[in-house]
Amino acid sequence: MGFFTGLFWLAVAIIAAMAAGWVFRQAAIAVSPKGVAKELRTAPLTASFGMLMIILYILAAFFAPVIAPFSETEIVGREYQAWDNVHLLGTDNLGRDMMSRLIYAARNTVGIAFITTALAFLLGSVLGLLAAVVGGWVDQLLSRAVDVLMAIPALIFALLLLTIIGTSVINMILVIALIDSTRVFRLARAVAMNIVVMDYVEAARLRGESLWRLITREILPNAMAPLVAEFGLRFCFVFLTISALSFLGLGIQPPTADWGSMVKDNATLISFGDITPLLPAGAIALLTVSVNFVVDWQLHRASGLKE
Amino acid sequence: MSHIWSMVFQRLALGFLTLFIVSLIIFGATELLPGDFAQEILGQSATPETVAALREKLGLDQPMYIRYFGWLSDILRGDFGESLANGQPVADLIGRRLGNTLSLALYAAAIAVPLSLGLGILAALFRNSFFDRFANASALTSISFPEFFVAYILIFLLAGREGLFPSISSFRTDPSFTEYLHRAFLPALTLTLVVTAHMMRMTRAAIINLLASPYIEMARLKGMKPMRVIVKHALPNALAPIINVVALNLAYLITGVVVVEVVFVYPGLGQLMVDSVAARDMPVVQGVALIFAAAYVLLNLTADVLATLSNPRLVHGR
Amino acid sequence: MSRLSGSHGISRRGVLQGATALGTAALITPYGTPLRAAPKRGGTLRVGMAHGSTTDAMDPGTWEADFMIFQAHTRNNYLTEIAADGSLVPELAESWEASADATQWTFVLRSKVEFHSGHKLSAEDVKASIEHHLGEDSTSAAKPIVEGITDIKADDLTVTFTLSNGNADFPFVMSDYHLPILPAKDGKIDPTTQDGCGPYKIASIEFGVGASYVRHDGYWKAGLPYFDGIEQIVIHDDAARQNALLSGEVDYIDTADLNTVSLLERSPGIEILAVTGTQHYGLPMDTRAAPFNDVNVRQALKYSINRQQLVDTILNGFGSLGNDHPIGPGQRFFNTELEQKAYDPDKAKFYLKEAGLDKLDVDIHLADAAFAGAMDAGVLFAESATAGGININVVREPNDGYWSNVWMQKPFAGTYWGGRPTEDWMFATAYSEGAAWNESFWSHERFNELLVKARSELNDDLRREMYFEMQDLVANQGGTIIPMFAAYVGAYSDKLAKPDQVASNWRNDGHRIGERWWFA
């Protein structure tokens, strides 16, 4: 029976999510200027639900001190208190308010993940497209350099670098962005290589278009789709990398809250059927799914399919 | 075709260059780590005298470049050296675990690759349907959980007291094939959940990206069945990015699974590398790093050759 | 069977009672505790261990973590043994005596002890086993503890050690886990040998993965061991280890995750084993560096830590309060008169004022490598210290390289000690001036003077008086905050049976679970 109850609640959750998405879309259309409203109408319910969630996350991140009932670091009770009226989601392994830490973590985690991913894409895609378009020794040099970096297992490489330079947030962003950018480079280059051999690119070259124009006007628009898809995933991989690093003993400086470390700190509870670690893990999952729903919508628009 | 062969040879040669540079970087990075082998292995009980004596005994007091070139000349003769910690030949240490690592990677890939390609194609076919969204959301949810957490959940659900599968796959004796499949099922399933979403989404994205192309439009207008359009016309042209992502994930299955190894007590190369880095056991670190790098280079080369073969324009050059 | 010679230094300390019962070991556990039911032989014990690295090695000089220490006591015997009640009993040495100034120690070995290989134990083996750790070029971690030995004479079954300075605790030193007796060949031991004369022989061992052992049929302790064999499995991850126990893949785990131990306890068929002994966690301050060179600052910090909260939260109650000195309540000369420090922000403020400060900013460098929960302990410390006007910034250091890069390198860090069986050994190791592991770089004239005096003092009352004063000095002048003594917490399946008293000097019943426990 447990299975069917689960199925029932899953259905309820999906319906509620879609309903929220619908309400949000109607509201957004009503308040948006005409052009934006027209775009919004094309959004499927999943994408509007995704946007709603992203906005909620961003609000939580910005207004964490206002929303959170307690401070991020204050010890307000005994460890692992049950859920009650005061501590809505109970307390963590040190007796800090779980709910407040989840909210503060949105600020730290989303911020770090966004900056890291943006940096990785800036570096990776620019160099990747450049390598594909220019070719020759530039391509060789960049590709071999990336090969070398990728040939070293990412987690172990991150572990090495962070142990050497220290685990400040800045260092962590830089190291993860560097490692991630190699993956982006490869993808961008692979996609662009297929486009570079197209006739219209050849034509543009013969027209004497500048390198910058070639990349931004001819190649990029056609390479956008896989890159955008990759962005959605890379974004959430950053949380996972931080979480894996904290599994191996590195990670964000305490007492700063971040979802990855919160999963790690409470993870052993799951062996006894306690769902506490599912809260931060769920926060990551919900954001990942939301971001990717929006990405899918944009992907669909970019593909030019009219159906 | 001939230039494919020349590409292969060229890339293999470059592969050796990559290995060489990787060994330099790993050596340099390990040197830069605080503390050396003598300090780490003696740990809290290190005294200045014993540290000095141990360094001298193992030749760690020699300058960095002499140690590196010593190691390099041994490697070129095919000698991986011996572990500083316990004197076991590095080739033996790696050999025992390489088999484990490869079989787990193969096991996971055998489930994950067909699964994700299949799901990706179906998702592209039924794009924006409930199936597409649901498959997507489930796959995304599964990769949003850290690996060790996925592992814990699987253990909780499937191992337990009267569990179907063992919670640790440690095997001290050579297991039979079926026993292996049974004992290593949970780690393989965990890894499957970790890599499936990435490959599936890339398959879906690459195919959808092509669906607006004129030639697909043409095929459709001819009245071809949607499934046939995708498999016959879209898929071959979408292969390059898909192969790329599959190769990346296979490389990950070989080199990046240390967390899963730890949780399931699976004696693979990742744990060996992490332990050796922690102890600054240079010959072992270098040996494992070379194996990882070689695996990556070969997979990469295979992916590039296949991607080239999948694009007639690239095969025939101009 | 094992009558002890009346060496005055030893017998007067009264630590050897109970050893005479060895002859009737079939009815009585080795160390004199009557049993509820006679232990049975049989079964293979499967042990899940939290430590063990692929870089472990057979050389006893490199042993440091639990995997190899467990291996050591399963495969080997020592000259002397710390019994479950903390007293010193003979093992391979049948008896010993000291010269009047405690500089010469003569051990008489048991006859007819056989190694797994069939080699017969002789004094030459003992001499070679100890000499392995001695000498200029020794790379052994045990070098500092045997350094005082200037000469070893072996004659059939008699070994005589000559020490540079008198040491009344020398027989205790011989029980150190680095000093197993291995077979000698041509006056030297082979440090990579897998031979030994302990209860089990190694069937196979793979570092970082596990080891399996089978019973040594010719073991000299009559009726022991009970198990047919032992499987030792390395399971680093806390959750994986507990799951292995819950799902019956192992019978015993050496370390239970304190966060969830109460949940584990409630699981059917699982028992928790918690023993508090000498293991303690500390926060050493470099007493040479400002601001820690001012004893008032050190006192202010000592009053700013909420010990009870740490024991409740970090140890989940599995431990006891520390009083800033490393001597455990179970030890012979534990100072019972010393006032227990408590969390007191007002006192902290008072001492800060004494130091001429109205507030204090310090960094503490921690990693969970220092002790389990060190990061969390740092966070709690920082929270509680604010009330006394002290702002503590917790710096997370990588676990990797912690002991070489942070510990004794940064002025304020974390540490743990498994503890030492004697007061002298502990103080000499980590508090005496110039000791390699004097983590707080503390140098106190009166303390150092007392240390040397107490070592060769044979009158217990005078010795007690001196050790009481030394504990006071360390607690109120010293540079290490010792907030808690941590229990060793493991768990086991109720299929296992254990003796009434479990040793607290190490985990796993003094790492001798292999010869002390059995399947019910």
Side-chain angles (χ1 to χ4, degrees), chain B residues 210-245:
Chain B
L210 289 171
L211 288 185
S213 318
Y215 77 100
I216 298 281
E217 199 80 11
M218 184 68 199
R220 219 178 338 210
L221 290 177
K222 276 197 308 201
M224 223 178 203
K225 287 212 183 80
M227 188 67 185
R228 216 175 134 73
V229 173
I230 286 182
V231 175
K232 274 272 178 194
H233 294 276
L235 193 58
N237 283 296
L239 274 179
I242 295 176
I243 290 172
N244 236 306
V245 167

Short mmCIF file of all heavy atoms in Angstrom, two decimals, chain B residues 210-245:
data_model
loop_
_atom_site.label_atom_id
_atom_site.label_comp_id
_atom_site.label_asym_id
_atom_site.label_seq_id
_atom_site.Cartn_x
_atom_site.Cartn_y
_atom_site.Cartn_z
N LEU B 210 18.27 19.57 -34.07
CA LEU B 210 18.30 19.33 -35.51
C LEU B 210 16.92 19.29 -36.14
O LEU B 210 16.77 19.34 -37.35
CB LEU B 210 19.00 17.99 -35.79
CG LEU B 210 20.51 17.98 -35.54
CD1 LEU B 210 21.03 16.58 -35.64
CD2 LEU B 210 21.20 18.90 -36.54
N LEU B 211 15.90 19.18 -35.27
CA LEU B 211 14.58 18.88 -35.81
C LEU B 211 14.02 20.00 -36.68
O LEU B 211 13.13 19.76 -37.49
CB LEU B 211 13.59 18.56 -34.68
CG LEU B 211 13.83 17.19 -34.02
CD1 LEU B 211 12.75 16.90 -33.01
CD2 LEU B 211 13.90 16.09 -35.06
N ALA B 212 14.53 21.22 -36.53
CA ALA B 212 14.02 22.31 -37.36
C ALA B 212 14.77 22.44 -38.68
O ALA B 212 14.44 23.27 -39.51
CB ALA B 212 14.11 23.62 -36.58
N SER B 213 15.82 21.59 -38.84
CA SER B 213 16.60 21.70 -40.08
C SER B 213 15.73 21.35 -41.28
O SER B 213 14.82 20.53 -41.19
CB SER B 213 17.79 20.73 -40.05
OG SER B 213 18.39 20.75 -38.80
N PRO B 214 16.05 21.98 -42.43
CA PRO B 214 15.24 21.75 -43.64
C PRO B 214 15.15 20.27 -44.02
O PRO B 214 14.10 19.80 -44.42
CB PRO B 214 16.02 22.53 -44.71
CG PRO B 214 16.81 23.53 -43.96
CD PRO B 214 17.10 22.96 -42.62
N TYR B 215 16.27 19.54 -43.86
CA TYR B 215 16.21 18.16 -44.35
C TYR B 215 15.31 17.29 -43.48
O TYR B 215 14.72 16.32 -43.96
CB TYR B 215 17.62 17.57 -44.50
CG TYR B 215 18.28 17.14 -43.20
CD1 TYR B 215 18.28 15.79 -42.84
CD2 TYR B 215 18.92 18.06 -42.38
CE1 TYR B 215 18.90 15.40 -41.68
CE2 TYR B 215 19.52 17.66 -41.23
CZ TYR B 215 19.53 16.33 -40.88
OH TYR B 215 20.13 15.94 -39.73
N ILE B 216 15.18 17.66 -42.21
CA ILE B 216 14.26 16.92 -41.34
C ILE B 216 12.83 17.27 -41.74
O ILE B 216 11.96 16.40 -41.86
CB ILE B 216 14.50 17.30 -39.87
CG1 ILE B 216 15.90 16.93 -39.44
CG2 ILE B 216 13.45 16.65 -38.97
CD1 ILE B 216 16.11 15.48 -39.13
N GLU B 217 12.64 18.55 -41.99
CA GLU B 217 11.33 19.04 -42.45
C GLU B 217 10.93 18.24 -43.69
O GLU B 217 9.82 17.75 -43.82
CB GLU B 217 11.46 20.52 -42.79
CG GLU B 217 10.17 21.27 -42.85
CD GLU B 217 9.68 21.65 -41.46
OE1 GLU B 217 10.45 21.51 -40.48
OE2 GLU B 217 8.52 22.05 -41.36
N MET B 218 11.90 18.10 -44.58
CA MET B 218 11.70 17.38 -45.84
C MET B 218 11.23 15.95 -45.56
O MET B 218 10.24 15.48 -46.10
CB MET B 218 13.03 17.38 -46.59
CG MET B 218 12.98 16.76 -47.95
SD MET B 218 11.97 17.82 -49.02
CE MET B 218 11.61 16.65 -50.30
N ALA B 219 12.02 15.30 -44.69
CA ALA B 219 11.70 13.91 -44.38
C ALA B 219 10.29 13.80 -43.83
O ALA B 219 9.54 12.88 -44.15
CB ALA B 219 12.71 13.35 -43.39
N ARG B 220 9.96 14.77 -42.98
CA ARG B 220 8.66 14.72 -42.35
C ARG B 220 7.55 14.93 -43.39
O ARG B 220 6.54 14.27 -43.38
CB ARG B 220 8.58 15.78 -41.26
CG ARG B 220 7.82 15.23 -40.08
CD ARG B 220 7.77 16.22 -38.97
NE ARG B 220 8.81 17.23 -39.06
CZ ARG B 220 9.33 17.81 -37.99
NH1 ARG B 220 8.92 17.46 -36.80
NH2 ARG B 220 10.24 18.74 -38.11
N LEU B 221 7.84 15.88 -44.27
CA LEU B 221 6.84 16.19 -45.29
C LEU B 221 6.63 14.99 -46.21
O LEU B 221 5.57 14.81 -46.78
CB LEU B 221 7.28 17.41 -46.10
CG LEU B 221 7.21 18.72 -45.31
CD1 LEU B 221 7.72 19.87 -46.14
CD2 LEU B 221 5.78 18.97 -44.84
N LYS B 222 7.69 14.17 -46.36
CA LYS B 222 7.54 12.95 -47.16
C LYS B 222 6.57 11.97 -46.51
O LYS B 222 6.21 10.97 -47.09
CB LYS B 222 8.90 12.27 -47.31
CG LYS B 222 9.73 12.84 -48.44
CD LYS B 222 10.87 11.91 -48.86
CE LYS B 222 11.73 11.45 -47.71
NZ LYS B 222 13.05 10.97 -48.09
N GLY B 223 6.25 12.26 -45.24
CA GLY B 223 5.31 11.38 -44.54
C GLY B 223 5.99 10.30 -43.74
O GLY B 223 5.39 9.29 -43.39
N MET B 224 7.25 10.49 -43.47
CA MET B 224 7.98 9.51 -42.68
C MET B 224 7.47 9.50 -41.24
O MET B 224 7.04 10.53 -40.72
CB MET B 224 9.45 9.92 -42.66
CG MET B 224 10.41 8.80 -42.86
SD MET B 224 12.05 9.54 -42.88
CE MET B 224 12.93 8.31 -43.75
N LYS B 225 7.50 8.33 -40.59
CA LYS B 225 7.07 8.25 -39.19
C LYS B 225 8.06 9.01 -38.30
O LYS B 225 9.27 8.98 -38.55
CB LYS B 225 7.04 6.80 -38.74
CG LYS B 225 5.88 6.01 -39.33
CD LYS B 225 5.42 4.94 -38.32
CE LYS B 225 4.32 4.09 -38.88
NZ LYS B 225 4.82 3.03 -39.80
N PRO B 226 7.54 9.71 -37.26
CA PRO B 226 8.43 10.54 -36.41
C PRO B 226 9.61 9.74 -35.86
O PRO B 226 10.75 10.21 -35.86
CB PRO B 226 7.51 10.99 -35.29
CG PRO B 226 6.13 10.85 -35.82
CD PRO B 226 6.15 9.80 -36.86
N MET B 227 9.36 8.51 -35.42
CA MET B 227 10.44 7.70 -34.84
C MET B 227 11.52 7.45 -35.88
O MET B 227 12.70 7.52 -35.60
CB MET B 227 9.84 6.37 -34.35
CG MET B 227 10.82 5.53 -33.55
SD MET B 227 11.21 6.37 -31.99
CE MET B 227 12.44 5.27 -31.35
N ARG B 228 11.07 7.19 -37.10
CA ARG B 228 12.00 6.90 -38.17
C ARG B 228 12.81 8.14 -38.53
O ARG B 228 14.01 8.07 -38.78
CB ARG B 228 11.21 6.41 -39.38
CG ARG B 228 11.92 5.34 -40.18
CD ARG B 228 11.03 4.83 -41.30
NE ARG B 228 11.80 4.74 -42.54
CZ ARG B 228 12.73 3.79 -42.75
NH1 ARG B 228 12.99 2.90 -41.83
NH2 ARG B 228 13.40 3.77 -43.89
N VAL B 229 12.12 9.28 -38.51
CA VAL B 229 12.82 10.54 -38.80
C VAL B 229 13.96 10.73 -37.82
O VAL B 229 15.09 11.04 -38.20
CB VAL B 229 11.84 11.74 -38.70
CG1 VAL B 229 12.60 13.06 -38.82
CG2 VAL B 229 10.77 11.65 -39.77
N ILE B 230 13.63 10.49 -36.55
CA ILE B 230 14.65 10.74 -35.53
C ILE B 230 15.80 9.76 -35.65
O ILE B 230 16.98 10.13 -35.71
CB ILE B 230 14.00 10.67 -34.13
CG1 ILE B 230 13.19 11.95 -33.92
CG2 ILE B 230 15.06 10.53 -33.05
CD1 ILE B 230 12.54 12.05 -32.59
N VAL B 231 15.47 8.47 -35.74
CA VAL B 231 16.53 7.46 -35.73
C VAL B 231 17.33 7.52 -37.02
O VAL B 231 18.56 7.42 -37.02
CB VAL B 231 15.93 6.06 -35.50
CG1 VAL B 231 17.01 5.00 -35.63
CG2 VAL B 231 15.29 6.00 -34.13
N LYS B 232 16.64 7.70 -38.16
CA LYS B 232 17.35 7.62 -39.45
C LYS B 232 18.04 8.93 -39.81
O LYS B 232 19.12 8.93 -40.39
CB LYS B 232 16.31 7.28 -40.56
CG LYS B 232 16.07 5.80 -40.70
CD LYS B 232 17.08 5.22 -41.68
CE LYS B 232 16.87 3.72 -41.79
NZ LYS B 232 17.96 3.02 -42.42
N HIS B 233 17.40 10.03 -39.51
CA HIS B 233 17.92 11.30 -40.03
C HIS B 233 18.53 12.20 -38.97
O HIS B 233 19.59 12.77 -39.20
CB HIS B 233 16.81 12.05 -40.78
CG HIS B 233 16.38 11.35 -42.01
ND1 HIS B 233 17.05 11.48 -43.20
CD2 HIS B 233 15.38 10.46 -42.22
CE1 HIS B 233 16.46 10.71 -44.12
NE2 HIS B 233 15.44 10.07 -43.54
N ALA B 234 17.84 12.33 -37.85
CA ALA B 234 18.37 13.27 -36.86
C ALA B 234 19.53 12.66 -36.09
O ALA B 234 20.59 13.28 -35.94
CB ALA B 234 17.26 13.69 -35.90
N LEU B 235 19.36 11.44 -35.61
CA LEU B 235 20.37 10.83 -34.74
C LEU B 235 21.77 10.82 -35.34
O LEU B 235 22.72 11.23 -34.68
CB LEU B 235 19.91 9.43 -34.33
CG LEU B 235 20.69 8.79 -33.20
CD1 LEU B 235 20.63 9.66 -31.95
CD2 LEU B 235 20.16 7.39 -32.87
N PRO B 236 21.92 10.37 -36.61
CA PRO B 236 23.30 10.31 -37.14
C PRO B 236 24.00 11.66 -37.08
O PRO B 236 25.19 11.73 -36.83
CB PRO B 236 23.08 9.87 -38.60
CG PRO B 236 21.78 9.15 -38.58
CD PRO B 236 20.94 9.85 -37.56
N ASN B 237 23.25 12.73 -37.31
CA ASN B 237 23.89 14.04 -37.29
C ASN B 237 24.06 14.60 -35.89
O ASN B 237 24.80 15.55 -35.68
CB ASN B 237 23.08 15.02 -38.14
CG ASN B 237 23.32 14.78 -39.60
OD1 ASN B 237 24.43 14.96 -40.09
ND2 ASN B 237 22.29 14.31 -40.30
N ALA B 238 23.33 13.98 -34.94
CA ALA B 238 23.46 14.45 -33.55
C ALA B 238 24.52 13.65 -32.82
O ALA B 238 24.78 13.89 -31.64
CB ALA B 238 22.12 14.32 -32.84
N LEU B 239 25.11 12.69 -33.53
CA LEU B 239 26.01 11.77 -32.83
C LEU B 239 27.23 12.44 -32.20
O LEU B 239 27.64 12.06 -31.12
CB LEU B 239 26.47 10.66 -33.77
CG LEU B 239 25.50 9.47 -33.85
CD1 LEU B 239 26.03 8.45 -34.83
CD2 LEU B 239 25.31 8.84 -32.49
N ALA B 240 27.79 13.44 -32.88
CA ALA B 240 29.05 14.01 -32.39
C ALA B 240 28.95 14.47 -30.93
O ALA B 240 29.73 13.99 -30.08
CB ALA B 240 29.50 15.15 -33.29
N PRO B 241 28.00 15.37 -30.60
CA PRO B 241 27.93 15.77 -29.18
C PRO B 241 27.55 14.62 -28.25
O PRO B 241 28.02 14.56 -27.11
CB PRO B 241 26.86 16.86 -29.17
CG PRO B 241 26.15 16.77 -30.46
CD PRO B 241 27.06 16.13 -31.43
N ILE B 242 26.73 13.68 -28.75
CA ILE B 242 26.32 12.57 -27.88
C ILE B 242 27.53 11.70 -27.55
O ILE B 242 27.77 11.36 -26.39
CB ILE B 242 25.22 11.72 -28.55
CG1 ILE B 242 23.95 12.56 -28.73
CG2 ILE B 242 24.92 10.49 -27.72
CD1 ILE B 242 22.84 11.85 -29.47
N ILE B 243 28.30 11.37 -28.60
CA ILE B 243 29.49 10.53 -28.36
C ILE B 243 30.43 11.21 -27.38
O ILE B 243 30.99 10.59 -26.48
CB ILE B 243 30.21 10.26 -29.70
CG1 ILE B 243 29.36 9.33 -30.55
CG2 ILE B 243 31.58 9.65 -29.46
CD1 ILE B 243 29.88 9.16 -31.96
N ASN B 244 30.55 12.51 -27.56
CA ASN B 244 31.40 13.29 -26.66
C ASN B 244 30.98 13.15 -25.21
O ASN B 244 31.80 12.91 -24.32
CB ASN B 244 31.27 14.76 -27.05
CG ASN B 244 32.61 15.33 -27.34
OD1 ASN B 244 33.48 15.23 -26.49
ND2 ASN B 244 32.78 15.87 -28.52
N VAL B 245 29.68 13.32 -24.98
CA VAL B 245 29.19 13.25 -23.60
C VAL B 245 29.31 11.83 -23.05
O VAL B 245 29.69 11.63 -21.89
CB VAL B 245 27.73 13.75 -23.55
CG1 VAL B 245 27.10 13.40 -22.22
CG2 VAL B 245 27.70 15.24 -23.77
#
